[in-house]
Amino acid sequence: MKKWVSMLMIISLFFLYVLPADAVEKDNRKWQDESVYLIMIDRFNNGDQSNDEDVEINNPNSYHGGDFQGVIDQLDYIKDMGFTAVSLTPVFDNTAGGYHGYWVNDFHKTDEHFGSIDLFKKLVKEAHKRDMKVILEFEVNHVGPNHAWLKDGEKKDWFKSDQDQQKELPLLNQDNEEVKNYIIDAAKWWIEETNVDGYQLQLTEDSSADFLNRFIKEVKAVKEDFYLLGEAKDADEEQLVSFMENGGDGITDYQLASELREVFSQPNQSFSPLFARYAQNETMYPEADLIGTFMDNQFTERFTSNTVEKNEHPGPRWKQALTFLYTTPGIPFVYYGSEIALNGGDEPDNRKQMNFRTDLEIVDYIKQIGNLRSDLPSLTRGTLDVLYEKDGMTVYKRDYNEETTVIAVNNTTKTQTVTLTAEELAADKELRGMLNNDLVKSDDNQYRITIDRDESEIYLLRDKSGINYSYFVALGAVLVAFFIFLGLVIKRSRKQSI
């Protein structure tokens, strides 16, 4: 009997709290719909201690034990936060000490500290089982300092002869035909062998346009909808535009990241530089929605360090920043540890060990905004229109098909109120808050939005709610059916007791 009473309560609660779905259904999944969790493998999670050779957990320049099994073990954790893809630092066999993956020793083997190539294949399969994609950082510029090619006299012209001697790693001559063939064949082999879904390539001032154009063409021919992201830290705008115009999908936007860090590291900062950058991207790049946006990564200091330097609490700063990142154009890349506000300065301090036993405040918040980003296509595909912006308070809207979301971010030290008009939104509608359940109904064709300090809200514009007669009819029918069933159960139990 208790079981049936519990079921009645569950059914009642479901009908009391469920609301009609106003979200527009997404058609085919696109890369701009993804949200990506960026992992430096060695620093993430140790899932197999049998490969812990040379591990010194307290040495920032040594191995910490992270491996493929550690990533596999945490895929559910990543999925639960709403991430739809993972991006991994290079997995190739490295010269001793290359915990980060950038000292490549063999392009066709995995590093022994991470696990076998069969285990990497399992990682990709397990991610795909969870409907998650896998992006792999593919090194195309350098090899490790002790690579066998350096000792081969016949491969002398495989390297840049005029490279700066101060550079740590040997620089490949991408205009050499043999180098082109080798690197491109290796890149195609990894796709065919492991079924990864995308590559991230480092673009530098030494990058060969001819090599990149051929790489893009041949690699994209191997797998449909394969994603190519250009790592833009050391490239100029002309290279970035050329990369995307010739078939590359996106670039990592370091200029935007710098401005995001400045705006969100403390309150009361104008949003105008951010919106100016988005407008510039729209005119400069073929597919601005495919640009990789981020707060920090393996090449920058941690955003948390920016907030601490300004005596700000990292939690609210991260929440505000992530809300903006998830609701503006581009594919958000979130560096491992951001969900626990991991601190760190320049390399290697920005690559500290992940800690899974810590406060989950930001983790829970990422789940919220991650689910909304997945459920509301206007947040990933919609136009961007700024409705209000002043000294740390902004309101903007995203429109896609018949769906409109309105995002309000109060990155100030005071409660803010913004009044929007029917001309900016629509007449006689309401704004339903998806984060804090706020409800703003139009009054005299105006919407008065009030947001507390350090808070944000994502609204869905919808018809005004009233008495939903069909809802109550459905509820009544379910309750009647339940009580009839309950009566039959009671009647049967009485007969059995006689």
Side-chain angles (χ1 to χ4, degrees), residues 467-490:
I467 298 176
N468 190 335
Y469 291 104
S470 60
Y471 162 77
F472 285 107
V473 169
L475 174 61
V478 169
L479 292 177
V480 168
F482 176 79
F483 282 116
I484 290 174
F485 179 75
L486 187 60
L488 292 173
V489 171
I490 294 172

Side-chain angles (χ1 to χ4, degrees), residues 19 33 40 104 142 195 208 231 241 301 323 360 430 495:
L19 290 171
D33 299 324
M40 175 159 279
V104 179
H142 306 96
N195 200 27
S208 164
E231 166 58 48
V241 172
E301 62 180 348
T323 304
L360 299 179
E430 68 183 23
K495 285 183 177 180

Side-chain angles (χ1 to χ4, degrees), residues 409-475:
V409 180
N410 181 5
N411 198 46
T412 77
T413 54
K414 297 179 181 179
T415 298
Q416 300 285 339
T417 298
V418 176
T419 300
L420 305 176
T421 66
E423 287 75 20
E424 294 172 307
L425 296 177
D428 202 32
K429 298 249 183 191
E430 68 183 23
L431 294 169
R432 177 194 170 194
M434 310 296 282
L435 291 177
N436 304 306
N437 297 316
D438 189 20
L439 185 63
V440 179
K441 295 192 176 185
S442 61
D443 183 12
D444 195 23
N445 284 330
Q446 291 186 330
Y447 300 84
R448 188 177 174 87
I449 295 174
T450 299
I451 305 291
D452 291 338
R453 57 170 291 183
D454 282 337
E455 291 287 345
S456 298
E457 183 60 281
I458 300 172
Y459 296 98
L460 182 62
L461 184 68
R462 47 173 287 165
D463 293 332
K464 279 189 174 180
S465 55
I467 298 176
N468 190 335
Y469 291 104
S470 60
Y471 162 77
F472 285 107
V473 169
L475 174 61

